[in-house]
Amino acid sequence: MGKNRGKRQIHREDAEHRAAEGSTVQQQSDKPNKRQKREEYQQNDADAKLPQKRYYRQRAHVNPFSDHSPAHPDDLNWAEHYPAFARRTVEDGSKDGQGLGKDASSSRSLIKNVEIADIGCGFGGLLFALAPKMPDTLILGMEIRTSVTEYVEKKIAALRAQNKTSSADSPLNQGPTFAEPTEDPVDLSEKANTPPPPSSLPSGFSYQNISVVRANTMKFLPNFFHRHQLSKIFLCFPDPHFKARKHKQRIVSSTLNSEYAYVLRPGGIVYTITDVQDLHEWMARHFEEHGSFEEVNEKELEDSGDVCVPVMRQETEEGKKVTRLGGNRYVACFRRVEDPPWSGQVRKKRLEPDE
């Protein structure tokens, strides 16, 4: 009798323990997980409120060979990215006498072209630091991670909302209805060395000149930019891909350097920075071996009034992290040289009779 009573007591205690565990599991399942917290935060997020990074974290390693890009630079709706620089159009859509009636409502309806690309922009530290220093230059961040891209989009929207200006202050209302494009949208090489006009933007309007796109630049960089369109390209703290079999996924290679040379105008600069010495040497070697680039030292850039290197060192997310940890930063900059004449041009010149 006593033995059976002891067994029943044990079974009763086991049942009570299992019931308590089930209640705890149920309580834990009722708690919102990370995705639910993020969705709830995004639903309650106000437009003028800066987003919090903890809701937009994503693993650093993303497939660099994935496919998502426009088929042509003109297929991207640039006016949505830079509304303050969009070319205005008349209500009836008629032409203005300059033949811009059709283009004014197209995806390429900007009064100027994007000139700076931050490839792998991360959380946009460089974008937000350069925007007020170069208010008349359109800067584009390019990031492959969806969540991180969304964070930068929301932060840009919040900063624009916080720095709203009246429509009378807009640069688009300071001139004619249709503004002349500052540069040829297809071939910009002839005006590579033309200095930008003085700033016409008010101080609170700074963040209208930056935007971000989700992009895989390892495969589709020319799908976003025309030939010789860019004046600066930033490669800040790229993934080092330490394993030898992963080196083909590095953001600098002979093939990719040719694409950088295609979108970068002669005289344009590629800025690189990393905290990994091996990667620094890899990038420097590949740029030096490429016939379209020559190395330019930081002193020369500083003497010319270039503010990009100090900003790149201090304002990027990884740059701040390296500073906190006391690590090293390796910087190298390379200038796009003029294209040498191709063999057909040289041969034709030799065959021409002397005057």
Side-chain angles (χ1 to χ4, degrees):
M1 285 288 290
K3 188 175 181 180
N4 292 336
R5 188 180 302 110
K7 288 182 178 180
R8 287 197 295 271
Q9 180 67 22
I10 293 174
H11 290 323
R12 190 182 307 112
E13 291 176 355
D14 289 343
E16 292 175 354
H17 180 68
R18 287 194 297 269
E21 284 185 343
S23 177
T24 303
V25 171
Q26 180 64 31
Q27 291 177 1
Q28 292 177 350
S29 63
D30 291 340
K31 294 181 180 180
N33 57 32
K34 184 177 180 180
R35 176 172 294 182
Q36 291 171 337
K37 288 182 179 179
R38 176 179 168 182
E39 292 176 352
E40 182 180 354
Y41 167 80
Q42 292 175 346
Q43 290 174 359
N44 299 328
D45 190 17
D47 292 338
K49 182 181 178 182
L50 294 178
Q52 299 182 28
K53 289 180 186 176
R54 62 193 178 110
Y55 293 107
Y56 297 90
R57 297 289 183 185
Q58 186 173 345
R59 63 190 182 94
H61 298 282
V62 178
N63 180 14
F65 303 115
S66 57
D67 183 357
H68 38 267
S69 71
H72 189 271
D74 295 341
D75 293 340
L76 192 62
N77 192 343
W78 295 106
E80 289 186 353
H81 287 272
Y82 304 96
F85 291 87
R87 185 181 296 128
R88 299 173 63 194
T89 182
V90 293
E91 293 182 359
D92 59 0
S94 60
K95 294 184 179 180
D96 67 330
Q98 301 178 9
L100 298 176
K102 182 178 180 180
D103 288 343
S105 59
S106 69
S107 61
R108 199 176 60 188
S109 53
L110 294 177
I111 62 175
K112 56 173 58 182
N113 294 281
V114 173
E115 290 192 28
I116 299 178
D118 181 11
I119 297 177
C121 67
F123 288 97
L126 184 68
L127 295 177
F128 301 117
L130 284 180
K133 297 181 181 297
M134 311 177 75
D136 281 304
T137 303
L138 300 189
I139 309 172
L140 183 68
M142 311 182 80
E143 174 60 47
I144 195 172
R145 292 170 291 177
T146 308
S147 299
V148 179
T149 304
E150 186 180 356
Y151 168 86
V152 180
E153 288 176 346
K154 288 186 175 294
K155 186 171 181 179
I156 292 174
L159 289 172
R160 288 177 178 177
Q162 293 175 4
N163 294 278
K164 280 184 178 179
T165 59
S166 63
S167 59
D169 292 331
S170 172
L172 303 180
N173 292 327
Q174 298 174 2
T177 302
F178 282 88
E180 284 283 346
T182 57
E183 296 177 285
D184 184 347
V186 177
D187 191 356
L188 307 174
S189 58
E190 295 181 0
K191 299 185 179 180
N193 299 318
T194 303
S199 174
S200 60
L201 296 174
S203 58
F205 208 45
S206 300
Y207 298 99
Q208 294 287 346
N209 64 327
I210 58 174
S211 188
V212 65
V213 293
R214 185 189 180 215
N216 183 355
T217 56
M218 288 189 66
K219 291 183 67 177
F220 301 108
L221 185 64
N223 294 45
F224 289 90
F225 306 111
H226 293 285
R227 178 175 178 262
H228 292 175
Q229 177 176 336
L230 300 179
S231 63
K232 300 179 187 295
I233 293 177
F234 289 91
L235 304 173
C236 300
F237 299 97
D239 193 327
H241 291 292
F242 291 105
K243 296 180 180 178
R245 63 186 178 87
K246 293 287 187 178
H247 285 180
K248 63 182 178 181
Q249 296 185 14
R250 286 180 170 177
I251 199 65
V252 170
S253 66
S254 299
T255 303
L256 291 174
N257 288 355
S258 295
E259 296 195 356
Y260 300 146
Y262 174 81
V263 299
L264 194 66
R265 67 186 65 168
I269 305 292
V270 176
Y271 301 80
T272 70
I273 183 171
T274 179
D275 58 336
V276 180
Q277 185 174 1
D278 175 68
L279 179 61
H280 165 72
E281 295 172 353
W282 166 283
M283 294 191 293
R285 182 174 72 254
H286 279 77
F287 275 112
E288 290 170 355
E289 293 175 353
H290 198 282
S292 297
F293 295 96
E294 62 180 7
E295 188 170 6
V296 53
N297 59 59
E298 294 183 47
K299 183 69 167 54
E300 181 180 345
L301 293 175
E302 291 176 2
D303 293 343
S304 65
D306 193 310
V307 300
C308 296
V309 173
V311 173
M312 180 176 66
R313 283 179 174 273
Q314 302 296 334
E315 299 298 336
T316 59
E317 305 296 329
E318 288 295 328
K320 294 177 181 178
K321 180 179 178 181
V322 172
T323 301
R324 290 196 304 268
L325 298 177
N328 296 321
R329 283 166 292 195
Y330 304 95
V331 175
C333 303
F334 302 89
R335 181 186 291 115
R336 172 72 160 90
V337 300
E338 292 282 350
D339 291 324
W342 56 286
S343 58
Q345 289 178 321
V346 176
R347 183 172 179 272
K348 182 179 179 181
K349 186 175 182 180
R350 288 176 180 173
L351 295 177
E352 290 178 351
D354 297 333
E355 296 182 357

